[in-house]
Amino acid sequence: MSQETGQPTVTLTIDGMTITVPKDTLVIEAARQAGVMIPHFCYHPKLAPDANCRMCFVEIEKMPRLQTSCSTKVAEGMVVRTTSPTVQQARKSVLEFILANHPLDCPVCDQGGRCDLQDFSHEYTPPVSRFTELKRVFPKEYFSALIETQMNRCVQCLRCVRYCDQVMDVKALAPQGRGTLTEIKSFGHHELDCEFCGGCVQICPVGAITSRLSMYEFRPWMLKRAETICGYCGDGCEITLQTKENRLIEVNSTLGGGRNNADLCARGFFGYHASTHPDRLTTPLVRKDGHLVEVTWEEALETVAAQVGWVKDEYGPEAIGGLISARCTNEDLYLFQKFMRLVLGTNHLDSSVRYGYMNAIEAFRRVQGLHRWTVTFDDVVAADTLMLIGTNVTETNPITGLKIKEAVKQRGARLITLESLKPVRGTISNIATLATHHLELSPDQFGIGVLGLIKAVFEQGLVDSALEQEAPEYVGALRTKIEAITWDRLLAHSTLTPSMFHAAVRTFEQGARSIVVVGQGVLRSPGGYATMVNIHDVLLLLGRLDRPGCGIAALAEENNEQGAIEMGAVPDLLPGALPVSDPEARRAVAASWGQEPPRTPGLTMMEMIERAKTGHLKALFVVGENPLGSLPPSAGVAEALDRVELLVCQELFLTETAQRAHVVLPACSYAEKDGTCINTEGHTQAVRKAIEPLGESRPDWEIFSALSVLLDSPMEYETAKDLTKEIRNMIPASRVLGPAPLPPRPDREVLRRYILGGYRDDLDGRLTPPPVTKTTGTMTLSFAQSLFHSGKFSTKAKGLLKIQSAGVANLNPQDAERLGVRTGDRIEIRNEGGSAITPVRAWERVPEGVVVFPEHFDQDLRQVMSVTVDPRTGVPYCKLARVSVEKV
Amino acid sequence: MDPGSDGTTKLMASKYEKILLKNMEQPGYTGSLQDYEKAGGYQALRKVLGGIPPDEVIDIVKRSGLRGRGGAGFPTGVKWGFIPKDHPGPRFLCCNADESEPGTFKDRQLMERDPHQVLEGMIITCYAIRASLAYIYIRGEFRLAAKILERAIREARAAGYLGSRILGSELDVQIHVHAGAGAYICGEETALLESLEGKRGLPRFKPPFPATHGLYQKPTVVNNVETLANIPHIIMRGAEWYASIGSPPKSTGTRVFCLSGHVKRPGNYELPMGTTFRELIFEHGGGMRGEKPLKAFIPGGASAPFLTPDHLDVKMDFESVAMAGSMLGSGGVTVMEEGTSMVWAALRLMEFFYHESCGKCTPCREGSSWLVQILQRIWQGEGRMSDLDLLVDLCKNIEGRTVCAFGDAEVAPILSTLRYWRSEYEELIARAEASRSSKKELPVVA
Amino acid sequence: MAGSIFDHLQEEVQDIIGRYPVKRSALLPLLNLAQREEGYVSEEAMKAIAALLDLTPPQVYETVTFYTMFNLKPIGKFHVQVCKSLMCALVGSDDVIEWIREKLGIRVGQTTDDGLFTLSVVECLGSCATGPMMQINDDYYERLTKETVCRILDELKQQGDCPLKSGPFMVPEPTS
Ligand SMILES: Cc1cc2nc3c(=O)[nH]c(=O)nc-3n(C[C@H](O)[C@H](O)[C@H](O)COP(=O)(O)O)c2cc1C
Ligand code: SF4
Ligand code: FES
């Protein structure tokens, strides 16, 4: 037994060293811990042992033959030798066998210089080969636009295939044939069709599977590397950006690095070229005679300072607003809100968390008194039961998805999915296929699904007795409300039955460690906030909200939405997510800033747009945000922008919004700057500069800093580090870089307040199923995130465009048949808002009655979206519409 | 050869009592349920259900000394005893009817001629290991045998020998025939399980063994057809009876030896273990088919090292054949007459192994393709003397270094022919080198 | 799956799937069924089976290609497979291959122009005492001579069947 952990251990000898390791450790692992590297190909810590390459042989006393150390577990008193002459001879021989058919084309192989086969051969192989026969030659075949296979180099360790299955649950790779003629293929002679996570490229120990994005562009030793964080989604994967002469060459991820632990998705692995797209803005622009013309930084900044100074003097700080993207670093976000509050004197600032994540944060704050998850990815992996509600998790948060898959596939967790998915297998993983209980819902029905859960909790008598004692009124009020809603009413639009809900909540309740994961399907749909609060009720009723290892994980879309909250880049929260309305909080901030932030409540994004439309908001700073491109025309963004007197955009590209700006300031992408960001589970991580800023572009924070000087309230920082320091001092929770901080526990006081009365004020509204929509349409159109894109930034990445370059309306094959269309045909999507024509694809996993369209390519289709604004959180809902669909 | 006309392939009276082939040798025996019952079939099942507890069945089989007839010769009762007693979930029985070892064709006859004998053995085995689901993994080419087994299963089900509450007892057993699709390796028990799970037939590394982590990772027994066919007889006539046959204590009972090659009467001969090769070949098999004397024989299927006329008096039991440097394996005895090239014979078998290597292990996968090429080269007159050491060296680098025993098997023909007939290789090579050097001396045409 | 080759075989398909506690086990039986129906395993069949068993098409494909009995392309109506392993070779299987090549005018791996016969050589079929032998579709033909080979091919061509195929196997045959 180990003293510290109580875990059983085993003591053994490896090459004369005595070492104690946990029971069930593999010999190869134990050796590594003893500092002995045993050469291997097929072994990989992420994969179940397969022992196929026979490279990792060791001698073990009392065992007759050489043993593969990758598949042999340690035993008490075992004596292992890893370098005896027999072992060395066996290694040589395995390499001789592998090299027999290997083309020895290292000079034209991108793996050269970091190839296991090369390294081991260097160590063990004699210079002359005894193989004089004909080498087996596989003809070259087209594999895919992004990934190249060179099967003559393959050592048949099957790491790629095993990874694709065991980790990704994708199963797109097929070893075809048998014996020495085995080749890795996809399906028949078809091009690879998969998630393009790049895992096979990364896990291949040789050069058999390589990326075509960087083919022949480098030798590994020429590359400079920067450990940084992927800028695409809230999962916050650690990546290594490899560069050569200020060009981005490739992305890697390392075992043991970051929350993703070597796993990535297509965006992370193939999406890096967006940063260096030729359309990047590289010089400041100022509008002169109606045209944006290139100017010097000096002129641009002076123009901005003069104009905003004038607006402030003329109309007061209340006439100025700002919007920032949650893809910016903490440093950018922090300095932006400081700039708005301190230099310009207004709380009218908002960020892209307003598109949905804010619903989660507001519900967290209200019920649990915190603004973070109470669980981590590790808790997700260790959970007994997991419930997903409207997550579309593979597409939106692929790594969270992997943690869920790990929990289910490797640890036997039970999964309940309330998703708008049919559990049909394909070569893009489908989380619903792993579910023990799958409740298929239309994308506008997640709120109803949660009401069904509440109803089922009561009907199954699963209400936590302690809660019933502590807050009988709360329980009673919920019971009365929910009993008044009939199942007929709830399930009018689905094929689900009450017993499915009963079974789901029973299963969920059986887990001691149970977690609910909530996604954009909830957070960005009408009633998102209410549903989020209702989900809290479900966990409260089951007694699971305040238990260790239990909780609600709401998924952030953009990579630093959590950072935007913590930095105070929203109107009513200061850094540390302290309320602006709290005088004590303002005083605390003043202690650092030397001045109190304004106390007047700020406007949310939609309020600012409204205010601009009526001519009351005169100047708008837009940083990395593109409301004109993101919101549908019915939101009136164009009208609003037409009326503002000063529109300043800090941008990478000349977006729809930037095209209307008076001044455009070229900003740096994440690849060109230092800083920190916080992922969806609340983990603070370092963003590191990989290349020098393109052209004259500058980090956003630097621009705010420069403007502050011109505006006579200097906020001067030498480097991003100085800002990081200031942030750390202000926000204790973000002090830690590295392992995830212990997640916070719900604030008992706040919880009590909620169950003893706080729940009441909106109970009627929350526990009422939304009225059946009256509009004409026949189908529900849902703008959803695609796995291959993230916002519109990724549509500048050439790699991702090779996978998906345009939007296609996805329909269930039965609907397609009914409409008389087949994949590749075109349909018209229409409602009172407008219409657009798009190609279709019949896809089995889309539920009947639903059209799924990737939001990144939504331009024309946005006309059919109307906007409703959440009354409590100001979140604009514009991702769902009832439409009619016709073949054209 | 015109078999049948001279009567040489007809069955001769045997001096030994037959166990497994007894029924089918009765005139008019069709293998139907009726015939089987008439011959005393399913009495053993009635007997165990009548009051022999499962553990006692296992004990009887242990005491009988029955060892696996699939190749490895593992004691059957001991294997059954490895099934965890307290395992809560399902357990399975798989009957290994993949019979693909070149030189082996006994299981085919047992299944096509007396299918109920196999089924009864399986049902009793299920009872002993407390399995209620069993599969017969039969090689895909055996279409006829599969059909016959399926019909027998229907008959047995209708008669209450299969299904739920068998013969009114608590016993439930379902048996399904599962056809493979062309892969020798699926006879290896863990590859068989993978294949039965609908995957590529790649062997699993052991441990864990099928007894604890078998089909669907559940406790599983894999037994050969012939092994299972013995069970009813052991139950009916007792462990001691069985243990007294053959060469006790280690090789008990009879075996169905498959005799093929250059003999007068090739075929299946059920003989007590310990009978000599000489007796099999020259008495039962009628001796060499032509004038030429015996040159070599394979004693236990393609995986067994070749033996020479000097070994004719070796007894056909596990220990004696092992002592002689080969193995009894699957019981396939292939006889080759003088004049057969041993290089050619080794090449033919090597081609088989190259074709059938599943490709999982580097040494077996790459080694088989390398070995076959060297042999082809030597056979086609392009050998080099250094090839012989290379062959031995490569074989040594495969042997004992692979996941399954296929790796050991594939080197057997080469190593054994090189051991006894190295001169044949050398002659071929010498001739090749001579012709090469004479070619070299040809004047170069400008 | 609508429009799949299994449409008219629903019962058989469900019966097969029902034999196994884990669906994937039905893969080989269903592939065998598909080949029985179409003469080979088409991509459509692989996709249909994938859908039936909750697998991806590559998972079906990798399995199909491991086993030599599955044809990925259409072949002749009669698949003539001659065993060439050592035991049959000792008793003349090379001659059998020659005879068939002569008779049909095709090389190993080819199909006759009339689409009737495809010739393959295969490894041991478990008939070593009754060689030389061949398998044509489901049936074994053993102890082949030049005459019987010709007769078998002729009769198959003319009548689609030949009585020389083996019945239940027993060698040596019992004296009656
Ligand atoms: C390459 C290889 C092929 C095998 N083929 C067969 C076979 O066709 N039939 C068989 O019964 N056993 C075969 N075996 C042996 C099985 O692995 C296993 O030992 C046997 O089925 C166990 O049954 P038994 O104990 O009744 O013999 C083979 C083993 C190896 C290594
Ligand atoms: S020894 Fe050969 S046949 Fe056996 S698992 Fe390894 S590669 Fe496959
Ligand atoms: S690493 Fe152990 S066999 Fe490949």
Side-chain angles (χ1 to χ4, degrees), chain A residues 442 444-445 448 488-496 772-773:
Chain A
S442 170
D444 50 2
Q445 304 270 307
I448 288 182
D488 282 350
R489 173 88 194 281
L490 281 180
L491 304 180
H493 297 285
S494 75
T495 54
L496 302 177
V772 184
T773 12

Side-chain angles (χ1 to χ4, degrees), chain A residues 803-882:
Chain A
I803 313 174
Q804 188 183 41
S805 60
V808 174
N810 297 283
L811 296 178
N812 182 278
Q814 294 200 352
D815 284 333
E817 209 176 303
R818 189 172 46 76
L819 293 165
V821 291
R822 280 193 285 180
T823 299
D825 289 351
R826 283 143 53 90
I827 52 170
E828 184 176 10
I829 296 180
R830 183 171 359 99
N831 67 7
E832 56 287 337
S835 76
I837 291 175
T838 140
V840 282
R841 169 168 75 143
W843 200 19
E844 286 80 4
R845 72 174 58 174
V846 180
E848 286 97 3
V850 177
V851 184
V852 179
F853 197 91
E855 58 182 1
H856 332 278
F857 300 103
D858 61 2
Q859 283 325 77
D860 294 342
L861 259 184
R862 286 182 309 149
Q863 300 171 39
V864 305
M865 290 292 169
S866 55
V867 187
T868 54
V869 177
D870 193 286
R872 290 186 69 131
T873 58
V875 168
Y877 299 121
C878 52
K879 298 289 171 188
L880 289 172
R882 293 290 292 174

